[in-house]
Amino acid sequence: SLESSRLDSTGESGWVGSGWVDIAACGALADGTTDNSAVIQAAIDSLGTQGGTVLIPEGAQPYGISSTIEMKPRVSLVGVGTGVKLIALDGWTATDPMIKYSASSAVDGVIHQSWIRGVGINCNEKANYGVHAQNWQVPGGMDSVVISGAKLYGLWLDGDNGTPSGQVMHCYFSNVWVIPSSSSSTYVDPASRGIMVEGANGTVGFDNITVAG
């Protein structure tokens, strides 16, 4: 199980082995104000091309971030426990998504074997997008994720046709809630909210999806 795979930190760096990294063991603080961007990004990058899982343990408050978390192929972001949240801090650049899967991060321009599970993503009426994913393909997707407070799309699935395999296909999304900004005055475009899918080809599965507001 995920809980039994949470290992004590090893060595001076605080990283855990066997393809698992616990951000709390690496120094991330769930206090709603500390900027944990560098810690989370370093955890993702430490897994290298072989990939693995970045564990986000529950905390009393959200884990604050001030810049986009750049995900990689074969790396998953998984919350452990209940109420696991990331929140955009003051000073956020609105056009930057909180989490991004960039086609340029993959050798073949395709994001494979990557999941987001059990995480709340609060754009805090600062970020236009919660998750922007280019060329997300089999297997991958989201389960038990809440995206709130985005000024545009909470989830933007983007088939980037500038790459040889530029399409979104064979990925799956279940138990996902997208809750737009609570203030209509913060919308960039009131008609552009919720979930945006572009460049899809093949099966993109949605099950128990809620877009509120």
Side-chain angles (χ1 to χ4, degrees):
S1 69
L2 288 177
E3 288 289 350
S4 64
S5 297
R6 293 178 65 188
L7 307 176
D8 292 334
S9 59
T10 58
E12 296 181 357
S13 66
W15 304 123
V16 298
S18 302
W20 302 86
V21 182
D22 181 330
I23 66 167
C26 302
L29 298 176
D31 59 10
T33 57
T34 298
D35 183 3
N36 297 289
S37 306
V39 172
I40 297 173
Q41 190 63 58
I44 293 166
D45 294 345
S46 75
L47 293 170
T49 57
Q50 76 276 9
T53 301
V54 174
L55 300 177
I56 306 179
E58 62 184 309
Q61 298 291 328
Y63 292 88
I65 59 175
S66 65
S67 58
T68 299
I69 301 302
E70 298 278 356
M71 294 295 291
K72 303 292 177 64
R74 292 173 289 281
V75 174
S76 294
L77 197 64
V78 177
V80 179
T82 59
V84 175
K85 296 183 180 69
L86 302 175
I87 189 170
L89 298 175
D90 289 342
W92 192 277
T93 300
T95 54
D96 292 342
M98 288 189 66
I99 297 174
K100 185 170 184 178
Y101 288 91
S102 175
S104 64
S105 70
V107 174
D108 59 358
V110 174
I111 305 299
H112 290 295
Q113 300 176 347
S114 185
W115 296 86
I116 300 176
R117 291 190 169 113
V119 179
I121 300 165
N122 185 354
C123 298
N124 202 19
E125 300 183 355
K126 301 181 187 304
N128 288 355
Y129 312 101
V131 177
H132 178 200
Q134 294 179 323
N135 302 350
W136 211 347
Q137 298 186 17
V138 62
M142 291 181 173
D143 180 55
S144 300
V145 172
V146 179
I147 305 173
S148 61
K151 297 168 69 176
L152 273 171
Y153 301 112
L155 172 60
W156 178 12
L157 301 176
D158 179 10
D160 176 16
N161 291 317
T163 62
S165 301
Q167 55 196 348
V168 176
M169 61 187 298
H170 305 320
C171 49
Y172 302 92
F173 302 83
S174 61
N175 305 307
V176 176
W177 291 263
V178 177
I179 306 169
S181 170
S182 60
S183 173
S184 60
S185 64
T186 65
Y187 297 150
V188 174
D189 179 356
S192 300
R193 293 181 286 152
I195 298 173
M196 177 66 170
V197 181
E198 297 180 299
N201 185 19
T203 301
V204 179
F206 292 94
D207 180 48
N208 193 26
I209 307 298
T210 300
V211 178

